[in-house]
């Protein structure tokens, strides 16, 4: 008789998508990583990724103690979508595809591109509020 090791249940996963994967989706991914304490597999991507993350988004997240400087914009792929339980697009309209059969949400948010820190803070704070709601939907208790 063999004894099998109990397997841990798969982590819930989320994919945040915006056009450039340089502001909104990176902030959302940063919040989800931090607030889930690693209990959620987090991905982000863009339909037309930028060269680098928006430095004002980085500054806004650092104010919350979350460092997204090491993140790089990534291209949206079908593999990332298929591997994710929830797909959240962020104000990119027709530039972001719709994936039927997924827990799909579209978060209408202002674009932080070209805006100063005073304009980006309310966007960041709204993203945090929505990420906290997503954690509840995924059945994950926030760590902070």
């Amino acid at each position: 008789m063999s004894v099998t090791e109990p397997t841990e249940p798969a982590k819930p996963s989320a994919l945040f998508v915006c056009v450039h994967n340089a502001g909104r989706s990176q902030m959302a991914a940063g919040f989800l990583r931090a607030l889930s304490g690693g209990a959620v597999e987090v991905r982000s991507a863009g339909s037309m990724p930028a060269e680098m993350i928006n430095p004002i988004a980085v500054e806004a997240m650092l104010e919350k103690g979350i460092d997204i400087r090491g993140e790089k914009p990534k291209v949206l792929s079908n593999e990332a979508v298929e591997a994710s339980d929830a797909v959240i697009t962020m104000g990119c309209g027709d530039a972001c595809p719709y994936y039927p059969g997924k827990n799909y949400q579209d978060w209408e948010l202002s674009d932080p591109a070209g805006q100063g820190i005073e304009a980006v803070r309310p966007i960041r704070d709204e993203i945090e509020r929505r990420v906290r709601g997503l954690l509840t939907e995924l059945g994950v208790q926030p760590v902070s």
Side-chain angles (χ1 to χ4, degrees):
M1 174 164 98
S2 69
V3 176
T4 59
E5 290 290 316
T7 58
E8 286 193 29
K11 292 181 188 180
S13 58
L15 169 65
F16 295 102
V17 181
C18 66
V19 175
H20 301 295
N21 188 223
R24 293 168 290 196
S25 58
Q26 290 288 356
M27 287 191 285
F31 273 123
L32 189 55
R33 279 188 197 95
L35 294 172
S36 74
V40 177
E41 184 72 32
V42 182
R43 299 174 182 85
S44 68
S47 55
M48 296 180 292
E51 293 293 316
M52 60 183 261
I53 300 220
N54 178 336
I56 304 300
V58 169
E59 179 183 348
M61 293 300 286
L62 284 170
E63 290 179 352
K64 292 283 193 166
I66 299 171
D67 189 353
I68 60 172
R69 288 178 289 194
E71 297 299 320
K72 304 285 182 242
K74 296 170 265 326
V75 176
L76 178 63
S77 69
N78 284 331
E79 293 80 19
V81 172
E82 291 303 316
S84 301
D85 296 315
V87 177
I88 298 95
T89 57
M90 310 186 92
C92 50
D94 293 339
C96 288
Y98 171 73
Y99 293 93
K102 289 288 177 182
N103 172 359
Y104 174 82
Q105 301 175 29
D106 184 35
W107 295 357
E108 286 296 323
L109 297 159
S110 297
D111 189 349
Q115 304 216 38
I117 191 69
E118 295 299 325
V120 173
R121 283 181 184 128
I123 298 167
R124 173 205 63 201
D125 294 345
E126 177 62 15
I127 290 170
E128 179 181 11
R129 185 188 69 74
R130 291 181 187 209
V131 166
R132 286 182 181 278
L134 179 62
L135 279 170
T136 300
E137 290 177 31
L138 295 172
V140 176
Q141 188 71 22
V143 294
S144 58

